[in-house]
Amino acid sequence: MFSPTGMSRRARVLLIGLIAFTGILSCIIVLAYNDYFLLGDPVNPNNDDVKYIQSSRLLLNEGVLAYNTKERPSAFIMPGMPFMLAGFMAIFGQDQGGVIAFRIFQCLEQALSVYLIFWIGRRLFNTRVGLIASIISALYLPDYFSSGVILSETTFRMLLLLLVCVTILALERNRTSLYILIGVLTAAAAYFKPHASLYPAVFLVLWWRDKLPWRLALKYMFLIVIVYAALLTPWWIRNWLTFHEFILFTNSGGSPFLLGTRIHGQLPPAGFFEAHPQYDPETLFKGSDSTAIQKGLDVISYGFKHEPLKYLYWFTLGRWVELYFHPFYSRPIWPITRPVMNVLQIALMLVNMAGIVWALVKCSFSRLLPLWLAIAYFTVIYLPFVAFNRYGYPNMALLILFGSYLIERLLSRYSGSDRLEARRSSSL
């Protein structure tokens, strides 16, 4: 299904070399830097990564899934990351062994992602675009940082790429098994990041484009929903038995919504606290899920009323900049410092954006629709919430495809291969 048939021997060797290079270099980096990649304090957990480690140990030793609640059960996060990390700890030890094994696993995911990027690029553009995208990915240092950090971004990126791959195949082959696989992958992604749950909605657009009979569309969507629900049911049952209430995903969704109202970390516009005396600058961004949502709505309402252009920018273009123009690179890897990586990220994104424009002009919009919809979905879904480089990182693999297309077109024009291909076509 994902076999790279019809490739030249040279292209195949290059692809295998890039995959091996990424896997080996990732392993060398994570083993050499080890806990340098920790973002928090293991003794006093103050960041997601060390909290995941703490939660995984508690899960193994006490059978309790907790996060930010010491040893009391919580539904603050989805269970994908703690369960996966706990699995490695159960086999390789709860101290360094399990954490190192998990990092090595992420190195393998990065290597697999190089191939998936190539596959998407080749299927939607051509082999050269796929190879250029693979080269960029193999040289993109945030990928190596992502291999070492104990967060869900590496796994989620791989699941996102698999979703796009299977989406393309499902549209081409119309097989029931592929739509069942979409349900499985969507559920797997939701166990790490619940906002992936609505991804199957993109098929409504794709089926409309393909004029798929509505009975068949209903069948496929029903299969996706049933498989997804069956796989999420254990989480719903656990929450019901533990908290005696139905919790769809987590009870912390209000926090990223409220934090997303802060423009560059600043407080609301002047006058907000006079208009809303029930809030205090010291405690505004603290509170439970329900109060956080109401606070966020009040900030947004006041902001759009008194500074409409500023807030309109922040919830549209500003989100795009926050997601994609700042690299996911909190621990620099020698010899590239963070300031240098900032410049490289901006340059890469400018190339990607130019590639997007070029593709809109030169490529069939319909052919690239699965890619357009995936990028649009996983960008728009963050508009109501806090948006920063960590959340935008998985999408970079898709955006790089457009930059690679632009580079491939420029190289083709420079080398004259386009003119040679045109002469061959005219002589037939």
Side-chain angles (χ1 to χ4, degrees):
M1 184 164 63
F2 291 111
S3 176
T5 57
M7 287 176 58
S8 68
R9 184 176 181 277
R10 183 179 178 184
R12 192 183 297 269
V13 169
L14 176 58
L15 177 61
I16 293 173
L18 289 169
I19 295 170
F21 172 83
T22 301
I24 293 170
L25 184 58
S26 292
C27 290
I28 291 173
I29 288 173
V30 301
L31 291 174
Y33 282 86
N34 200 10
D35 283 348
Y36 165 78
F37 287 117
L38 287 180
L39 303 177
D41 183 355
V43 178
N44 300 300
N46 56 356
N47 207 303
D48 283 344
D49 56 348
V50 289
K51 289 179 181 179
Y52 282 141
I53 294 173
Q54 183 186 60
S55 295
S56 300
R57 287 174 179 154
L58 182 64
L59 186 62
L60 277 177
N61 297 326
E62 304 295 334
V64 175
L65 177 61
Y67 191 90
N68 283 343
T69 53
K70 294 186 178 179
E71 295 185 358
R72 289 183 293 108
S74 74
F76 192 84
I77 59 169
M78 293 298 288
M81 189 66 182
F83 268 88
M84 184 168 65
L85 184 55
F88 283 95
M89 287 183 172
I91 299 172
F92 298 100
Q94 295 185 33
D95 294 320
Q96 283 294 315
V99 173
I100 291 173
F102 177 74
R103 286 179 172 137
I104 296 298
F105 172 71
Q106 290 193 138
C107 294
L108 299 178
E109 289 182 311
Q110 290 288 4
L112 173 60
S113 293
V114 170
Y115 178 74
L116 296 176
I117 291 168
F118 164 79
W119 190 93
I120 297 170
R122 186 186 188 215
R123 184 60 66 102
L124 296 182
F125 295 99
N126 58 51
T127 299
R128 289 176 297 180
V129 171
L131 288 173
I132 292 171
S134 299
I135 292 170
I136 294 174
S137 182
L139 298 177
Y140 187 57
L141 278 180
D143 285 356
Y144 297 97
F145 163 72
S146 184
S147 296
V149 74
I150 308 298
L151 295 172
S152 61
E153 270 57 44
T154 296
T155 299
F156 182 75
R157 184 180 83 143
M158 183 192 69
L159 291 171
L160 169 58
L161 291 169
L162 282 170
L163 270 171
V164 175
C165 291
V166 179
T167 296
I168 295 169
L169 288 173
L171 293 171
E172 290 178 355
R173 303 184 182 184
N174 266 334
R175 290 182 184 173
T176 299
S177 59
L178 291 172
Y179 286 103
I180 292 175
L181 185 53
I182 289 289
V184 172
L185 289 172
T186 303
Y191 268 112
F192 293 91
K193 295 184 182 294
H195 64 264
S197 299
L198 294 178
Y199 172 81
V202 305
F203 281 101
L204 299 177
V205 179
L206 295 166
W207 290 334
W208 175 79
R209 177 201 65 177
D210 294 341
K211 296 181 173 59
L212 190 74
W214 67 269
R215 290 181 183 274
L216 201 54
L218 283 176
K219 171 191 170 183
Y220 290 151
M221 188 56 72
F222 177 77
L223 283 171
I224 293 172
V225 172
I226 289 298
V227 170
Y228 172 88
L231 293 175
L232 265 290
T233 296
W235 176 241
W236 298 334
I237 292 175
R238 176 262 184 185
N239 290 336
W240 181 266
L241 295 177
T242 304
F243 306 106
H244 308 294
E245 63 176 310
F246 177 74
I247 300 175
L248 183 61
F249 299 120
T250 71
N251 54 16
S252 63
S255 179
F257 174 71
L258 175 58
L259 291 174
T261 65
R262 303 190 71 171
I263 300 179
H264 299 302
Q266 299 173 356
L267 290 172
F272 171 80
F273 294 102
E274 293 180 10
H276 296 276
Q278 70 271 34
Y279 300 138
D280 182 86
E282 297 297 323
T283 60
L284 176 62
F285 295 100
K286 300 177 182 178
S288 64
D289 196 51
S290 58
T291 60
I293 292 174
Q294 186 57 54
K295 288 177 183 179
L297 291 173
D298 289 339
V299 172
I300 292 173
S301 175
Y302 188 89
F304 272 99
K305 186 180 297 183
H306 292 85
E307 297 182 357
L309 293 180
K310 182 178 180 179
Y311 273 76
L312 180 62
Y313 164 81
W314 182 246
F315 282 95
T316 52
L317 184 59
R319 285 290 201 260
W320 176 273
V321 173
E322 292 297 310
L323 284 171
Y324 302 125
F325 278 79
H326 305 293
F328 180 49
Y329 195 62
S330 302
R331 293 288 184 268
I333 300 169
W334 186 86
I336 305 299
T337 63
R338 177 59 191 257
V340 172
M341 192 64 231
N342 290 342
V343 174
L344 293 175
Q345 180 78 11
I346 293 172
L348 177 59
M349 275 305 301
L350 290 176
V351 173
N352 293 341
M353 292 178 70
I356 288 174
V357 174
W358 193 258
L360 283 170
V361 174
K362 296 293 185 179
C363 290
S364 166
F365 184 84
S366 179
R367 177 177 176 78
L368 298 183
L369 193 56
L371 189 55
W372 293 122
L373 290 175
I375 292 174
Y377 174 80
F378 285 106
T379 299
V380 172
I381 201 70
Y382 281 116
L383 294 186
F385 303 100
V386 63
F388 64 115
N389 54 10
R390 176 179 163 188
Y391 295 157
Y393 164 74
N395 256 14
M396 280 301 297
L398 303 180
L399 292 169
I400 282 172
L401 290 166
F402 289 102
S404 302
Y405 169 68
L406 176 67
I407 293 171
E408 189 272 337
R409 288 291 82 202
L410 293 175
L411 289 175
S412 294
R413 290 196 171 197
Y414 179 77
S415 65
S417 60
D418 277 355
R419 293 190 296 272
L420 179 61
E421 190 67 32
R423 283 196 220 102
R424 287 176 178 172
S425 299
S426 62
S427 64
L428 294 178

PDB file of all heavy atoms in Angstrom, residues 120-138:
ATOM      1  N   ILE A 120       3.719  11.283   0.535  1.00  0.00           N
ATOM      2  CA  ILE A 120       2.704  12.299   0.246  1.00  0.00           C
ATOM      3  C   ILE A 120       3.184  13.219  -0.872  1.00  0.00           C
ATOM      4  O   ILE A 120       2.439  13.532  -1.804  1.00  0.00           O
ATOM      5  CB  ILE A 120       2.376  13.117   1.510  1.00  0.00           C
ATOM      6  CG1 ILE A 120       1.762  12.216   2.588  1.00  0.00           C
ATOM      7  CG2 ILE A 120       1.412  14.257   1.178  1.00  0.00           C
ATOM      8  CD1 ILE A 120       1.634  12.890   3.946  1.00  0.00           C
ATOM      9  N   GLY A 121       4.446  13.656  -0.780  1.00  0.00           N
ATOM     10  CA  GLY A 121       4.988  14.546  -1.805  1.00  0.00           C
ATOM     11  C   GLY A 121       5.007  13.899  -3.174  1.00  0.00           C
ATOM     12  O   GLY A 121       4.668  14.532  -4.188  1.00  0.00           O
ATOM     13  N   ARG A 122       5.381  12.627  -3.225  1.00  0.00           N
ATOM     14  CA  ARG A 122       5.427  11.929  -4.506  1.00  0.00           C
ATOM     15  C   ARG A 122       4.029  11.714  -5.070  1.00  0.00           C
ATOM     16  O   ARG A 122       3.798  11.864  -6.279  1.00  0.00           O
ATOM     17  CB  ARG A 122       6.127  10.584  -4.336  1.00  0.00           C
ATOM     18  CG  ARG A 122       6.349   9.867  -5.664  1.00  0.00           C
ATOM     19  CD  ARG A 122       6.908   8.480  -5.449  1.00  0.00           C
ATOM     20  NE  ARG A 122       7.281   7.876  -6.715  1.00  0.00           N
ATOM     21  CZ  ARG A 122       7.168   6.588  -6.982  1.00  0.00           C
ATOM     22  NH1 ARG A 122       6.688   5.760  -6.068  1.00  0.00           N
ATOM     23  NH2 ARG A 122       7.534   6.106  -8.157  1.00  0.00           N
ATOM     24  N   ARG A 123       3.070  11.344  -4.194  1.00  0.00           N
ATOM     25  CA  ARG A 123       1.723  11.041  -4.658  1.00  0.00           C
ATOM     26  C   ARG A 123       0.983  12.297  -5.150  1.00  0.00           C
ATOM     27  O   ARG A 123       0.273  12.247  -6.147  1.00  0.00           O
ATOM     28  CB  ARG A 123       0.936  10.377  -3.523  1.00  0.00           C
ATOM     29  CG  ARG A 123      -0.466   9.911  -3.912  1.00  0.00           C
ATOM     30  CD  ARG A 123      -0.417   8.881  -5.046  1.00  0.00           C
ATOM     31  NE  ARG A 123       0.212   7.657  -4.655  1.00  0.00           N
ATOM     32  CZ  ARG A 123      -0.455   6.541  -4.352  1.00  0.00           C
ATOM     33  NH1 ARG A 123      -1.774   6.549  -4.379  1.00  0.00           N
ATOM     34  NH2 ARG A 123       0.194   5.447  -4.047  1.00  0.00           N
ATOM     35  N   LEU A 124       1.174  13.424  -4.468  1.00  0.00           N
ATOM     36  CA  LEU A 124       0.441  14.640  -4.835  1.00  0.00           C
ATOM     37  C   LEU A 124       1.201  15.523  -5.816  1.00  0.00           C
ATOM     38  O   LEU A 124       0.591  16.297  -6.557  1.00  0.00           O
ATOM     39  CB  LEU A 124       0.109  15.443  -3.570  1.00  0.00           C
ATOM     40  CG  LEU A 124      -0.845  14.766  -2.572  1.00  0.00           C
ATOM     41  CD1 LEU A 124      -1.123  15.702  -1.406  1.00  0.00           C
ATOM     42  CD2 LEU A 124      -2.153  14.359  -3.254  1.00  0.00           C
ATOM     43  N   PHE A 125       2.537  15.437  -5.819  1.00  0.00           N
ATOM     44  CA  PHE A 125       3.335  16.251  -6.734  1.00  0.00           C
ATOM     45  C   PHE A 125       4.120  15.327  -7.672  1.00  0.00           C
ATOM     46  O   PHE A 125       3.623  14.918  -8.707  1.00  0.00           O
ATOM     47  CB  PHE A 125       4.271  17.179  -5.947  1.00  0.00           C
ATOM     48  CG  PHE A 125       3.569  18.204  -5.119  1.00  0.00           C
ATOM     49  CD1 PHE A 125       3.378  18.007  -3.751  1.00  0.00           C
ATOM     50  CD2 PHE A 125       3.102  19.385  -5.675  1.00  0.00           C
ATOM     51  CE1 PHE A 125       2.737  18.951  -2.969  1.00  0.00           C
ATOM     52  CE2 PHE A 125       2.450  20.344  -4.914  1.00  0.00           C
ATOM     53  CZ  PHE A 125       2.263  20.118  -3.556  1.00  0.00           C
ATOM     54  N   ASN A 126       5.343  15.003  -7.302  1.00  0.00           N
ATOM     55  CA  ASN A 126       6.157  14.051  -8.062  1.00  0.00           C
ATOM     56  C   ASN A 126       7.302  13.550  -7.178  1.00  0.00           C
ATOM     57  O   ASN A 126       7.464  13.999  -6.041  1.00  0.00           O
ATOM     58  CB  ASN A 126       6.690  14.680  -9.363  1.00  0.00           C
ATOM     59  CG  ASN A 126       7.525  15.935  -9.114  1.00  0.00           C
ATOM     60  OD1 ASN A 126       8.437  15.931  -8.303  1.00  0.00           O
ATOM     61  ND2 ASN A 126       7.190  17.019  -9.814  1.00  0.00           N
ATOM     62  N   THR A 127       8.096  12.634  -7.705  1.00  0.00           N
ATOM     63  CA  THR A 127       9.153  12.005  -6.905  1.00  0.00           C
ATOM     64  C   THR A 127      10.172  13.020  -6.423  1.00  0.00           C
ATOM     65  O   THR A 127      10.630  12.968  -5.277  1.00  0.00           O
ATOM     66  CB  THR A 127       9.860  10.914  -7.731  1.00  0.00           C
ATOM     67  OG1 THR A 127       8.905   9.908  -8.088  1.00  0.00           O
ATOM     68  CG2 THR A 127      10.983  10.266  -6.926  1.00  0.00           C
ATOM     69  N   ARG A 128      10.536  13.983  -7.306  1.00  0.00           N
ATOM     70  CA  ARG A 128      11.546  14.967  -6.912  1.00  0.00           C
ATOM     71  C   ARG A 128      11.067  15.834  -5.756  1.00  0.00           C
ATOM     72  O   ARG A 128      11.838  16.147  -4.845  1.00  0.00           O
ATOM     73  CB  ARG A 128      11.921  15.836  -8.114  1.00  0.00           C
ATOM     74  CG  ARG A 128      12.744  15.092  -9.161  1.00  0.00           C
ATOM     75  CD  ARG A 128      13.014  15.952 -10.370  1.00  0.00           C
ATOM     76  NE  ARG A 128      11.760  16.317 -11.050  1.00  0.00           N
ATOM     77  CZ  ARG A 128      11.694  17.063 -12.145  1.00  0.00           C
ATOM     78  NH1 ARG A 128      12.802  17.538 -12.678  1.00  0.00           N
ATOM     79  NH2 ARG A 128      10.528  17.336 -12.704  1.00  0.00           N
ATOM     80  N   VAL A 129       9.801  16.220  -5.771  1.00  0.00           N
ATOM     81  CA  VAL A 129       9.248  17.004  -4.658  1.00  0.00           C
ATOM     82  C   VAL A 129       9.302  16.190  -3.369  1.00  0.00           C
ATOM     83  O   VAL A 129       9.682  16.693  -2.305  1.00  0.00           O
ATOM     84  CB  VAL A 129       7.799  17.441  -4.957  1.00  0.00           C
ATOM     85  CG1 VAL A 129       7.157  18.059  -3.719  1.00  0.00           C
ATOM     86  CG2 VAL A 129       7.762  18.428  -6.111  1.00  0.00           C
ATOM     87  N   GLY A 130       8.937  14.911  -3.460  1.00  0.00           N
ATOM     88  CA  GLY A 130       8.995  14.053  -2.285  1.00  0.00           C
ATOM     89  C   GLY A 130      10.397  13.938  -1.726  1.00  0.00           C
ATOM     90  O   GLY A 130      10.603  13.982  -0.497  1.00  0.00           O
ATOM     91  N   LEU A 131      11.387  13.804  -2.603  1.00  0.00           N
ATOM     92  CA  LEU A 131      12.774  13.690  -2.145  1.00  0.00           C
ATOM     93  C   LEU A 131      13.280  14.997  -1.548  1.00  0.00           C
ATOM     94  O   LEU A 131      13.976  14.998  -0.525  1.00  0.00           O
ATOM     95  CB  LEU A 131      13.662  13.263  -3.309  1.00  0.00           C
ATOM     96  CG  LEU A 131      13.509  11.810  -3.773  1.00  0.00           C
ATOM     97  CD1 LEU A 131      14.315  11.564  -5.042  1.00  0.00           C
ATOM     98  CD2 LEU A 131      13.937  10.838  -2.667  1.00  0.00           C
ATOM     99  N   ILE A 132      12.930  16.129  -2.166  1.00  0.00           N
ATOM    100  CA  ILE A 132      13.356  17.426  -1.621  1.00  0.00           C
ATOM    101  C   ILE A 132      12.738  17.643  -0.245  1.00  0.00           C
ATOM    102  O   ILE A 132      13.411  18.103   0.687  1.00  0.00           O
ATOM    103  CB  ILE A 132      12.966  18.566  -2.582  1.00  0.00           C
ATOM    104  CG1 ILE A 132      13.785  18.473  -3.876  1.00  0.00           C
ATOM    105  CG2 ILE A 132      13.191  19.933  -1.928  1.00  0.00           C
ATOM    106  CD1 ILE A 132      13.329  19.407  -4.976  1.00  0.00           C
ATOM    107  N   ALA A 133      11.460  17.300  -0.089  1.00  0.00           N
ATOM    108  CA  ALA A 133      10.805  17.430   1.208  1.00  0.00           C
ATOM    109  C   ALA A 133      11.478  16.533   2.248  1.00  0.00           C
ATOM    110  O   ALA A 133      11.642  16.924   3.414  1.00  0.00           O
ATOM    111  CB  ALA A 133       9.320  17.085   1.087  1.00  0.00           C
ATOM    112  N   SER A 134      11.887  15.333   1.831  1.00  0.00           N
ATOM    113  CA  SER A 134      12.573  14.412   2.745  1.00  0.00           C
ATOM    114  C   SER A 134      13.932  14.966   3.158  1.00  0.00           C
ATOM    115  O   SER A 134      14.342  14.833   4.318  1.00  0.00           O
ATOM    116  CB  SER A 134      12.749  13.047   2.082  1.00  0.00           C
ATOM    117  OG  SER A 134      11.502  12.471   1.771  1.00  0.00           O
ATOM    118  N   ILE A 135      14.631  15.597   2.231  1.00  0.00           N
ATOM    119  CA  ILE A 135      15.931  16.197   2.543  1.00  0.00           C
ATOM    120  C   ILE A 135      15.759  17.337   3.548  1.00  0.00           C
ATOM    121  O   ILE A 135      16.511  17.439   4.528  1.00  0.00           O
ATOM    122  CB  ILE A 135      16.611  16.712   1.255  1.00  0.00           C
ATOM    123  CG1 ILE A 135      17.010  15.535   0.361  1.00  0.00           C
ATOM    124  CG2 ILE A 135      17.830  17.570   1.585  1.00  0.00           C
ATOM    125  CD1 ILE A 135      17.475  15.944  -1.022  1.00  0.00           C
ATOM    126  N   ILE A 136      14.768  18.208   3.302  1.00  0.00           N
ATOM    127  CA  ILE A 136      14.527  19.318   4.233  1.00  0.00           C
ATOM    128  C   ILE A 136      14.187  18.790   5.620  1.00  0.00           C
ATOM    129  O   ILE A 136      14.697  19.276   6.637  1.00  0.00           O
ATOM    130  CB  ILE A 136      13.400  20.225   3.705  1.00  0.00           C
ATOM    131  CG1 ILE A 136      13.845  20.926   2.410  1.00  0.00           C
ATOM    132  CG2 ILE A 136      13.004  21.266   4.749  1.00  0.00           C
ATOM    133  CD1 ILE A 136      12.754  21.733   1.742  1.00  0.00           C
ATOM    134  N   SER A 137      13.333  17.769   5.669  1.00  0.00           N
ATOM    135  CA  SER A 137      12.951  17.188   6.952  1.00  0.00           C
ATOM    136  C   SER A 137      14.159  16.576   7.661  1.00  0.00           C
ATOM    137  O   SER A 137      14.311  16.711   8.882  1.00  0.00           O
ATOM    138  CB  SER A 137      11.870  16.122   6.758  1.00  0.00           C
ATOM    139  OG  SER A 137      11.454  15.578   7.989  1.00  0.00           O
ATOM    140  N   ALA A 138      15.035  15.917   6.905  1.00  0.00           N
ATOM    141  CA  ALA A 138      16.223  15.289   7.497  1.00  0.00           C
ATOM    142  C   ALA A 138      17.208  16.329   8.040  1.00  0.00           C
ATOM    143  O   ALA A 138      18.033  16.013   8.902  1.00  0.00           O
ATOM    144  CB  ALA A 138      16.917  14.408   6.461  1.00  0.00           C
TER     145      ALA A 138
END
